[in-house]
Amino acid sequence: MAMKVISFCLLIAIGFLSYDIWAGRNGLKQYEEISANLLKAQQQSAKLQDRNQAVIDELNDLKQGNTAIEELARTELGLIREDETFFRILGDK
């Protein structure tokens, strides 16, 4: 009889501990959620680092001289020099 009680208590303890490992605080479920959040944060961080590097590169170009300023004026503002001729090519329509 005593052996059955001890076995039952051990079974209950094993059940409680396994539940705590799988679904309890700091369990597998929480680990998977934190891992997913970490992956999202790392991806967002990589995007922000790329954007920061692009801004740093553009600042360095602007500090180097007029070539970068001229390139920005041509691409973003559509400016041309006085001695240049502007050609606009239309599609088939």
Side-chain angles (χ1 to χ4, degrees), residues 4-46:
K4 288 183 181 183
V5 172
I6 293 174
S7 298
F8 182 72
C9 289
L10 287 176
L11 185 64
I12 295 294
I14 290 172
F16 177 74
L17 291 175
S18 64
Y19 171 79
D20 195 40
I21 288 172
W22 293 103
R25 192 177 126 219
N26 296 330
L28 186 63
K29 187 176 182 180
Q30 187 178 17
Y31 170 77
E32 289 173 351
E33 290 174 3
I34 290 174
S35 295
N37 290 341
L38 176 64
L39 182 61
K40 287 180 187 177
Q42 287 173 338
Q43 290 171 347
Q44 184 179 11
S45 176

Side-chain angles (χ1 to χ4, degrees), residues 47-77:
K47 288 179 185 178
L48 292 174
Q49 286 177 348
D50 291 343
R51 189 179 82 182
N52 286 346
Q53 188 60 44
V55 169
I56 289 170
D57 292 342
E58 187 173 341
L59 284 173
N60 288 336
D61 286 345
L62 291 174
K63 288 178 184 178
Q64 288 180 357
N66 294 335
T67 307
I69 295 172
E70 183 179 339
E71 179 185 344
L72 282 174
R74 288 175 179 274
T75 57
E76 293 186 12
L77 301 176

